[in-house]
Amino acid sequence: ILLCLFKNSLFLPCGDSSCSGPMSDRLLVKGAKIVNDDQSFMADIYMEDGVIKQLGENLIVPGGVKIIEAHGKMVMPGGIDVHTRFQMPDRGMVSADDFYQGTRAALAGGTTMIVDHVVPERGVGLMAAFNQWREWADSKSCCDYSLHVDITEWHKGIQEEMESLVKDHGVNSFLVYLAYKDVFQLSDSEMYEVFSVIRDLGAIAQVHAENGDIIAEEQRRILDLGITGPEGHALSRPEEVEAEAVNRAVTVANQTNCPLYITKVMSKSSADVIASARKKGAVVYGEPISASLGTDGTHYWSKNWATAAAYITSPPLSTDPTTPDYLNSLLACGDLQVTGSAHCTFSTSQRAVGKDDFTLIPEGTNGTEERLSLIWDKCVVSGKMDENQFVSVTSTNAAKIFNMYPRKGRIAVGSDADLVLWDPDVSKIISAKTHNLSVEHNIFEGMEVRGGPLVVISQGKVVLEEGVLHTTEGCGRYVTRKAFPDHVYKRIKARSRLTELRGVPRGQYDGPVCDVAPSPKVMSATSTAKTSPTRQQNAAQPMRNLHQSGFSLSGAQVDDNIPRRSTQRIVAPPGGRANITSLG
Amino acid sequence: SLGHSSSERLLIKGGRIVNDDQSFHADIYMEDGVIKQIGDNLIVPGGVKTVEANGKMVIPGGIDIHTHFQMPYRGTTTVDDFNQGSKAALAGGTTMIVDHVIPEPGSSLIEAYDQWKQWADEKSCCDYALHVDITHWDDSVKQEVETLIKDKGVNSFQVYMAYKDYYQMSNKELYEICSFLAEHGGIAQVHAENGDLIAEEQARMLQMGITGPEGHVLSRPEELEAEAVFRAITIASQTNCPLYVTKVMSKSAADVISQARKKGNVVFGEPITASLGTDGTHYWSKNWAKAASFVTAPPLSPDPTTPDYLNTLLASGDLNVTGSAHCTFSVAQKAIGKDDFTQIPEGVNGTEERMALIWDKAVTTGKMDENMFVAVTSTNAAKILNLYPRKGRVAVGSDADLVIWDSDSVRTVSAKTHNSEAEYNVFEGMELRGAPLVVVCQGKIVLEDGTMHVISGSGRFIPCTPFPDFAYKRIKARKQLAVLRAVPRGLYDGPVSEFSPMSRGGTPSASARTSPTKPPVRNLHHSGFSLAGPTTPDDIPIRPAGRRVMVPPGGRSNITSLS
């Protein structure tokens, strides 16, 4: 047996030998309370080559294995930060935390996998941008990662690139923007077409939901009023504008039978829209972020410009200070399902690009390091959710939605050895002085949170122990994700079978037909082809005897013999329902 | 010229007057088309024509706030012109109509308004007012809208969120129109359906070979209506403009309106006779002509519980006004779209049936009382149009537009007996309880003993003035509250990063942005690395995590959150 185990250790999980020293290949966690999303139980965990090999009591393991004593503390699947923007380019600048700094911060907080957003410049193409991001992440990331790809323009070529990304490159989620007018924003028609393509490919449609048209108008109005500071950011993006866009995205997704994922749920109203859509049966997921769960938008009114600017993100933090509590409650009751950080940090001098015009301030807040502790403190300590639900909203649900389960998001034999030994009692004050980021401000500055990681294991190696990080730059692997995740697509598939539409077989209508101008009613028409109403007064109007009142052109009606239903109810229309979400 | 000396004076004796607030017994004396006296034992000139009401209800004549009489459509005209249409309205107890002026996109609003006014002046048998639809938007339209409000007696303007590439307005245009109307005291009306999605769905239906009228409803599911209503409310609330949603056809759209009203939005919903009385199952009729006669947009909902639901919301005050959207086409006209449902001209009847239908569905069922009935069929419309109390109330000084209502009369609706020119009636065969016994319009009896006495062209244009109190009192108060203020700060004088000059909000050219391949060099071993030194201490103390601040220091921007 020993020989056999020794042989196994020769198969290294990642090609880069620097990140898999023989010392750290084997690891045993003893006396742990394993916490998955469905249950908690006491067991030991034995890992080898970055994979969980055995789970149970009295495990037979090779000698000389590194042992971590959990002393009955919780061991849970490492967090998955489903939304990061490390090293993101913005107008020639790059966000302050790159893949190295960003993933280090993530690991320090108990997150062992991140999913970053590829943001292709218009005209660059999805594939070129995707390869660029891969290159960046492969060379710097300290933990496993995957990539969402953002659709920033729409034409035939993009559709082909999406297909190739899904089929050959392990991408199963694409984000569209309803904001950033004239830059990233897509129209409703484009959104409809993108969603149709996404559904056919078996991917997930993500939406940055804000009404960009209204924002553009409001921004101009606010600037005209002489409001140029960060408060203008919140004033020009009231939460209604977010809720409206969420509602519209849900409508389009229902219409195209496409699963929908709302990134950055920042306000009560948009969370409410998601919750009520889910009640009606829509396949929609909502992602609140560390910032919206932990703080609020009152800081935009800070007299210190740099502090106020540090909170700038879109959709903005709500100015209603009861928002974080509300969103945590919805997270606990299942109306919202996943959490990310939308970590996208800029230094003060980068923010200062917009010192005279809030619309130019680069957007994004920190949160990848604080996410787990923050949710533990706000939800588990306060009794809103239990430890199992904590695991589902910080890790498992993300793995299920994006088709990485049970490789990620679960402690089970065969799963990746990404684990966190969690200490529910440790208490910590968040501060820019101690965080693992390269920016001067932390939006959770001074907040005391209870609960934090004691030991973090990533790819079967201890990366955090006794408060010290042992990360290796570039050892993070790209995790491919297959199309048609069951968690999402089982329902979608069933519905697409049900929603087949049929025409009514009728005899040809052979009565008289009016002559009309050739321009169709709804198609685009040139103005010359349309008759103006002033000319139509001359058009011959049907002659009619105005003294005769009950005048009828055709006398008795064809279906007069059919009894009329005036009070009777028909339960379903004869042609079936068009609305796929009304399952009742 | 209108008053015939014999009919100038009229006395209604022994009636029970029903207004929107109360009912009471009194006689009514009218002269020159105006109510002069109300009370018992009135002293009136001799020889006055007297109508005995025998204790029956006397209600303000109905106001049909949404009609499309004599509407031009691709070279043809709807079959009911202002004469036939207003006659049908009077036959049903409606004594005033408000028609929609629809200028062709690109043409003048005022020219279209003049045209409609000319048609109505020539033919209308009852008083009328006009809404003007905004079918395109530029500076000249803006000026025309201002003129229409100031000089032409129009205070309501409809915009379309459907009919892509034709009437449809973008969000930006909707925002500008709402801002403009809010400033000038107008009411923004919307035809709420998402035209982009409809266009996609229509193309899909036709591709699947669905060409009949069922394609109309399949391509316009009620969610698309609800979505547009939600968006319109967002824009109206953002611009602090009163909103009026025409043709509420589905439960979902009605729900969106009632939720918005609960949050404090100034929004009014108008279900129509068709949505209150029938449903969209008829689109599947095997008789093409019958199925086509139900085609209207937004479509009738295929959910047969919809009429009952909408009547309930009307009774609870979540929906406020009723119109008919009466817009009738002959079978031959509908047949323009016999091979393609997108070509079927849209519109249904309903001006004649409106009052009786609501009485039957809402009052006889106990959903609402007679006063509420008056509110939703007449008074609320008058208030929104700023015509109250001239219209919509039985009171001294008000116009003598009255109906003696017989709550026991039962009639069966049929195309054979209706006063419309259309061959089909969407309420065919429906038995309705409640009907007008006598209709008085401009102080003259126009319906008595089942016989109509109407005069073509006797209807007057009733100008509507801006800033109706009913909608604008709240808007004005909120405007005062919604003043935004900047935070006075010292100038930021720290370092500023280099960046490419184009604004994020502008259109970027790909070359203007530097490619993101070279991130700035930075010491990656140094973790708490800070460019600007230690965090600047804040003027205000950092709020402890658990503490709550009730109001943001700069005030709220969301004007509808009044709490």
Side-chain angles (χ1 to χ4, degrees), chain B residues 469-549:
Chain B
D469 268 355
F470 192 59
Y472 267 90
K473 267 187 183 159
R474 289 179 287 166
I475 294 284
K476 284 177 187 164
R478 288 170 195 196
K479 202 177 265 173
Q480 281 152 13
L481 277 178
V483 175
L484 303 178
R485 267 181 293 271
V487 174
R489 295 185 182 91
L491 266 202
Y492 173 86
D493 51 4
V496 179
S497 281
E498 293 285 318
F499 73 113
S500 33
M502 55 67 39
S503 131
R504 198 191 294 121
T507 313
S509 60
S511 58
R513 290 183 164 194
T514 48
S515 134
T517 40
K518 281 177 200 157
V521 182
R522 123 173 23 107
N523 184 348
L524 296 170
H525 300 294
H526 190 162
S527 71
F529 180 68
S530 157
L531 283 172
T535 315
T536 340
D538 228 343
D539 289 358
I540 46 166
I542 291 162
R543 291 184 306 107
R547 202 87 59 80
R548 283 180 182 175
V549 171

Side-chain angles (χ1 to χ4, degrees), chain A residues 96 121 136 183 189 192 217-218 231 240 254 301 321 349 361 437 504 521-522 530 536 544 557 559 570, chain B residues 72 79 164 166 172 175 201 214 223 237 290 304 344 415 421 423 487 497 504 513 516 522 527 549 554:
Chain A
E121 294 278 306
W136 287 334
V183 184
S189 303
Y192 184 100
E217 297 287 333
E218 289 288 314
E231 68 278 15
E240 272 187 302
N254 275 346
W301 278 264
S349 67
I361 302 173
L437 307 173
V504 174
K521 187 175 21 168
V522 288
K530 293 176 194 161
Q536 278 165 3
R544 157 190 324 136
Q557 297 190 359
D559 55 349
I570 288 178
Chain B
V79 293
K164 193 178 179 187
Y166 196 47
K172 178 184 158 62
Y175 183 98
E201 291 289 316
E214 69 278 13
E223 272 189 291
S237 151
K290 186 186 173 194
I344 301 173
E421 286 283 345
E423 300 101 320
V487 174
S497 281
R504 198 191 294 121
R513 290 183 164 194
R522 123 173 23 107
S527 71
V549 171

Side-chain angles (χ1 to χ4, degrees), chain B residues 390-472:
Chain B
R390 177 178 175 185
K391 300 285 185 189
R393 188 163 187 85
V394 180
V396 172
S398 295
D399 278 0
D401 291 349
L402 304 172
V403 175
I404 300 182
W405 190 258
D406 182 355
S407 53
D408 300 319
S409 156
V410 177
R411 289 181 202 172
T412 304
V413 180
S414 170
K416 288 184 202 127
T417 54
H418 68 193
N419 284 285
S420 161
E421 286 283 345
E423 300 101 320
Y424 278 91
N425 188 310
V426 295
F427 310 105
E428 187 73 39
M430 211 176 267
E431 223 179 64
L432 300 180
R433 185 179 293 255
L437 205 61
V438 176
V439 177
V440 177
C441 181
Q442 298 180 1
K444 286 177 282 290
I445 294 173
V446 292
L447 174 78
E448 199 177 17
D449 299 329
T451 316
M452 300 211 60
H453 316 275
V454 298
I455 304 163
S456 191
S458 66
R460 300 163 299 181
F461 174 71
I462 309 290
C464 303
T465 49
F467 294 109
D469 268 355
F470 192 59
Y472 267 90

Side-chain angles (χ1 to χ4, degrees), chain A residues 410-429:
Chain A
R410 187 165 187 85
I411 299 181
V413 172
S415 294
D416 277 1
D418 290 349
L419 304 174
V420 175
L421 179 59
W422 190 258
D423 185 349
D425 301 317
V426 70
S427 169
K428 176 186 169 187
I429 293 173

